[in-house]
Amino acid sequence: MVKKKRKFFKIFDMRSAVFFEITVGILANNVLLLFHILTFLLKHRPKPLDLTIAHLALIHLVMLVTMGFIAADTFEFQGWLDGLMCKLVIYVHRLMRSLSICTTCLLSILQAITLSPRNSCLEKFKHKSSHHYPCCLVFLWVFNILLNTRFLVSIDATPNVTSHSLLFVTESCSQWRISYLFRNIFLSLVNIQDISFIGLMALSSGYMVSLLCRHKRQFQHLHSTNLSPKASPEERATQSILLLMGFFMLMYFLDCVAFSSRAILWHNDPINLCVHMLVGNGYATICPFVLMSTEKRMTECLTSRWKRL
């Protein structure tokens, strides 16, 4: 009896942590998105890097909102999702997760292009990036919309009868098994996309680290000192984005481990489910705080508001 009570309180605490994480993430992404919307209204032509940050904040905001619906239905707080709502909520959530990887990779590449010196091979992309940026976004959206259509087909409301062809998703929603061929095609495309974008993130991050190290060595050679140079705004932004890339890769790895453990065990243990949700939402919640730390105007505004309170 004591063990059951302890397990109940442990599950209750983890569920509370999931909803707390979702709430904090929604608020933080809202602040970041509103800040960039105001910046866009004041500026006639925003930079692709600023647009990418705003786009990422919007993606994470929608992703966490849909995750709130999924978590509420999973934990049996309200079993109100019908067939259409199941399809829309889970489809939009999966779409946002895919776009999050793509946009994070795009952010890393754009920062590498911004930081690149004049004599580098990336110099020619500095002026072209603003022209090709809208086409790149449209391609990413169209590709991921098509790639995730399998959820519109396979997700439906859980029927009253039990079936071995159904996979549990939430309390109200289940996924029908699709044919072996189509399942392998979709999984291959998803894996190729994830590996490609993570590879590009690693390459751009490595390039930025080499540029920062080269700049530090040049400064120490010119000034004959072991002191580190004062970081410029671009370098501070680069350091934050490198931190973000590292955190993303860590969360992606932990998410794969949590998902694999659930798939191998093949039972919906509430604790494993809560851990998987916490890990899956970690990047979307922490990301806006890291990006806000690079915005000097934003931090000054928030600190002045906090002091007034």
Side-chain angles (χ1 to χ4, degrees):
M1 188 70 181
V2 176
K3 286 184 178 179
K4 283 185 178 180
K5 281 185 177 180
R6 283 180 181 174
K7 189 174 182 181
F8 171 77
F9 285 117
K10 191 175 182 180
I11 293 167
F12 180 78
D13 289 341
M14 294 195 77
R15 286 176 179 180
S16 301
V18 169
F19 284 107
F20 176 75
E21 182 186 47
I22 290 169
T23 305
V24 170
I26 288 171
L27 291 173
N29 282 290
N30 254 317
V31 171
L32 183 63
L33 181 61
L34 288 171
F35 172 77
H36 278 90
I37 288 171
L38 290 172
T39 307
F40 299 158
L41 293 174
L42 295 173
K43 286 183 178 180
H44 295 291
R45 195 174 181 182
K47 296 177 181 178
L49 200 64
D50 295 327
L51 287 170
T52 307
I53 292 172
H55 185 238
L56 190 61
L58 177 62
I59 287 167
H60 287 161
L61 178 61
V62 177
M63 184 176 124
L64 288 168
V65 168
T66 53
M67 190 65 224
F69 286 113
I70 292 168
D73 192 60
T74 302
F75 298 141
E76 301 181 47
F77 291 133
Q78 44 187 345
W80 47 266
L81 293 179
D82 58 12
L84 181 60
M85 281 295 291
C86 281
K87 288 178 184 292
L88 287 176
V89 169
I90 293 169
Y91 171 72
V92 171
H93 180 72
R94 296 303 306 181
L95 175 61
M96 293 302 114
R97 282 183 70 85
S98 300
L99 285 169
S100 176
I101 297 174
C102 301
T103 311
T104 302
C105 177
L106 186 61
L107 181 67
S108 177
I109 292 169
L110 287 172
Q111 186 61 34
I113 292 170
T114 303
L115 196 68
S116 61
R118 292 181 180 179
N119 58 350
S120 70
C121 58
L122 295 177
E123 169 63 21
K124 59 183 179 181
F125 294 106
K126 283 188 179 182
H127 302 292
K128 290 182 179 180
S129 60
S130 57
H131 299 293
H132 297 300
Y133 182 78
C135 297
C136 183
L137 277 188
V138 170
F139 171 76
L140 290 177
W141 271 88
V142 170
F143 177 75
N144 283 286
I145 284 169
L146 294 173
L147 187 63
N148 288 280
T149 48
R150 68 188 190 278
F151 293 106
L152 289 175
V153 177
S154 60
I155 298 291
D156 207 348
T158 304
N160 295 325
V161 293
T162 56
S163 174
H164 295 293
S165 300
L166 286 172
L167 295 173
F168 173 85
V169 180
T170 69
E171 190 65 25
S172 305
C173 309
S174 294
Q175 184 175 8
W176 292 93
R177 293 181 187 272
I178 57 175
S179 66
Y180 181 79
L181 176 63
F182 284 110
R183 185 167 69 248
N184 284 336
I185 289 170
F186 283 124
L187 283 174
S188 299
L189 288 171
V190 169
N191 290 330
I192 289 168
Q193 176 185 260
D194 288 359
I195 291 167
S196 300
F197 283 119
I198 289 171
L200 287 170
M201 277 186 227
L203 286 173
S204 57
S205 298
Y207 178 70
M208 286 187 282
V209 168
S210 67
L211 287 178
L212 290 175
C213 291
R214 190 191 306 169
H215 178 258
K216 185 179 178 180
R217 285 197 302 269
Q218 287 174 349
F219 178 88
Q220 290 174 348
H221 176 72
L222 290 171
H223 295 82
S224 302
T225 178
N226 290 325
L227 294 174
S228 297
K230 189 177 180 182
S232 65
E234 290 82 8
E235 288 173 342
R236 284 198 299 272
T238 303
Q239 289 165 2
S240 297
I241 289 171
L242 285 172
L243 176 65
L244 200 64
M245 296 303 109
F247 183 72
F248 172 83
M249 290 180 187
L250 175 64
M251 287 294 104
Y252 184 85
F253 173 74
L254 291 176
D255 185 58
C256 290
V257 170
F259 179 78
S260 300
S261 65
R262 283 185 64 206
I264 292 166
L265 294 171
W266 198 251
H267 66 88
N268 294 298
D269 181 63
I271 295 173
N272 289 339
L273 188 61
C274 290
V275 170
H276 190 202
M277 285 185 174
L278 284 168
V279 171
N281 300 331
Y283 175 67
T285 301
I286 300 298
C287 177
F289 291 103
V290 177
L291 293 173
M292 282 190 284
S293 67
T294 63
E295 291 286 352
K296 193 175 180 181
R297 293 164 299 171
M298 193 172 186
T299 51
E300 287 174 355
C301 179
L302 289 173
T303 49
S304 63
R305 292 282 182 186
W306 180 260
K307 287 177 181 177
R308 287 178 188 177
L309 294 172

